Amino acid sequence: MKKVFKTLGIIILALVLVVAIALAACFIYHRTMLKQEEPLLENPIGQLVEVDGHNMCVYSEGEGEHTLLFLSGSGTPAPILDFKSLYSLLDDDYRIVVIEKYGYGFSDIVDSERSFTTILRQDREALEKTGIEGPFILCPHSMSGLEAIMWAQDYPDEVEAIVGLDNVLPRTYDNFDIEGTLKLEKCITFARDIGILRFYYSDSFLPDTLTQEEKDLYRAIASRNTCNVDIINEGRAITEAVEIIDSKPKPDVPMIMFISDGKETKGRDWVGNHYDYAEELTNAKVIELGCGHYVHYFEPERIASEIRAFIDCEL
């Protein structure tokens, strides 16, 4: 029996050593790549503007009567590149704008409070400083659905419509385990710092519409920024944002919501929740895509076609 335990102990020790060596090698490789990738980040895509003493990045292209303003979901590392699969199908007819909030893409990491009222104020100020005027068709992905609702509630003259890209809604967070999610994000932060997360953002994970150079840039940004302190602080502000939204009437602007099958999301009755919300508005539509959470990866052609039809019919 002692021999068995001794052998088992040797096996466990060997496994621990293998894991430790693998993590050390991963960390060294990661630090080496961070250094090599620095030149990729020297020329930001978009325009940097100063807001509250730090730099925010705003990207725009195309022209048209309507402006589509894309707002990224929580933790999306590089929104300008992330949304390209969709907006590249629309920039011939509309003005395209992508805001990278603090902690995202080429914008600074500021390590300050990230209430949704602050985020909204900063986004509006960044647009003003770049000379981009509304009204806007807000295109929020995931958690930015809360910001889009607040925007339409507080500044209705600036919002023509909302195009939800698997957007969250206030009832999404009923009985939601926010603290559990924050703990998961801290684990992801550790994986980023060690370098494990770098391998998650493989070429096969990223949209095919990106060039190889753009995929390398996306990976460089993600390997630095994923689940940073600003993104974690955003998550802590969700409860307050829902309370603020619930204290005001629903914004009754034209709305179309493209939703996933809900398998990659959390919260109460993902699909049914969107139908419930739409039923309380006078001009809202839900389109089920039956795909993953990043709907603009899976169904960009259909979404672009439906957006055109929605704008032509409603606006």
Side-chain angles (χ1 to χ4, degrees):
M1 184 62 71
K2 289 183 179 180
K3 185 176 181 180
V4 172
F5 281 118
K6 183 177 180 180
T7 302
L8 183 60
I10 293 173
I11 293 173
I12 293 174
L13 179 60
L15 289 174
V16 170
L17 288 174
V18 168
V19 171
I21 292 171
L23 289 176
C26 183
F27 178 76
I28 293 170
Y29 173 74
H30 175 55
R31 303 305 299 183
T32 302
M33 290 303 298
L34 288 177
K35 188 67 176 178
Q36 292 181 6
E37 290 164 347
E38 286 179 358
L40 296 176
L41 307 175
E42 291 177 353
N43 298 303
I45 302 173
Q47 180 179 351
L48 294 180
V49 294
E50 184 177 319
V51 179
D52 292 349
H54 301 279
N55 286 325
M56 281 184 68
C57 189
V58 180
Y59 173 81
S60 66
E61 69 170 59
E63 295 181 357
E65 180 183 354
H66 301 283
T67 299
L68 303 179
L69 175 56
F70 289 84
L71 305 169
S72 70
S74 174
T76 297
I80 294 171
L81 295 173
D82 180 80
F83 284 121
K84 184 182 177 182
S85 57
L86 178 55
Y87 67 65
S88 62
L89 302 175
L90 297 162
D91 57 4
D92 286 343
D93 298 306
Y94 310 107
R95 187 175 193 182
I96 303 299
V97 179
V98 184
I99 291 180
E100 293 189 326
K101 300 173 288 187
Y102 285 130
Y104 292 77
F106 292 100
S107 296
D108 291 343
I109 298 173
V110 298
D111 191 9
S112 63
E113 67 89 11
R114 302 302 296 145
S115 70
F116 281 70
T117 53
T118 294
I119 291 171
L120 176 54
R121 176 184 60 77
Q122 290 172 339
D123 284 354
R124 294 179 68 248
E125 185 173 336
L127 291 170
E128 181 181 358
K129 289 189 173 183
T130 53
I132 298 174
E133 298 179 350
F136 307 106
I137 299 173
L138 301 180
C139 302
H141 174 236
S142 195
M143 193 177 72
S144 280
L146 295 182
E147 181 185 356
I149 293 172
M150 292 179 70
W151 204 322
Q153 286 177 323
D154 294 346
Y155 307 98
D157 292 342
E158 297 179 8
V159 180
E160 270 194 294
I162 295 176
V163 174
L165 302 171
D166 217 29
N167 56 297
V168 304
L169 296 165
R171 300 286 68 76
T172 301
Y173 295 105
D174 288 349
N175 302 316
F176 189 75
D177 184 11
I178 291 178
E179 287 303 316
T181 300
L182 293 174
K183 289 178 181 179
L184 174 61
E185 288 181 343
K186 289 182 179 180
C187 291
I188 296 173
T189 301
F190 173 77
R192 180 203 69 206
D193 292 341
I194 291 295
I196 298 172
L197 203 64
R198 171 179 296 276
F199 300 99
Y200 176 77
Y201 293 102
S202 63
D203 285 356
S204 60
F205 168 85
L206 298 172
D208 293 334
T209 49
L210 298 181
T211 65
Q212 186 58 54
E213 291 76 12
E214 288 170 333
K215 289 182 178 181
D216 291 341
L217 177 58
Y218 194 112
R219 190 160 34 248
I221 295 171
S223 297
R224 284 165 171 75
N225 290 0
T226 300
C227 275
N228 59 67
V229 64
D230 291 344
I231 292 166
I232 292 175
N233 286 342
E234 272 183 359
R236 297 189 185 281
I238 288 174
T239 300
E240 178 191 36
V242 171
E243 291 174 353
I244 293 172
I245 289 170
D246 285 345
S247 70
K248 304 172 184 177
K250 288 183 173 62
D252 205 1
V253 299
M255 186 179 300
I256 184 170
M257 294 181 283
F258 300 95
I259 61 172
S260 69
D261 55 20
K263 294 179 181 179
E264 296 178 358
T265 60
K266 298 178 181 180
R268 182 184 68 84
D269 188 10
W270 187 261
V271 174
N273 187 24
H274 284 78
Y275 280 103
D276 291 343
Y277 193 87
E279 286 178 0
E280 297 183 24
L281 305 178
T282 58
N283 187 3
K285 180 180 180 181
V286 177
I287 296 180
E288 294 186 51
L289 298 177
C291 61
H293 183 46
Y294 278 71
V295 292
H296 46 290
Y297 284 12
F298 297 102
E299 295 284 356
E301 292 85 3
R302 182 179 177 187
I303 294 173
S305 177
E306 294 282 2
I307 287 176
R308 292 180 188 277
F310 173 68
I311 291 174
D312 291 342
C313 180
E314 303 296 342
L315 305 179

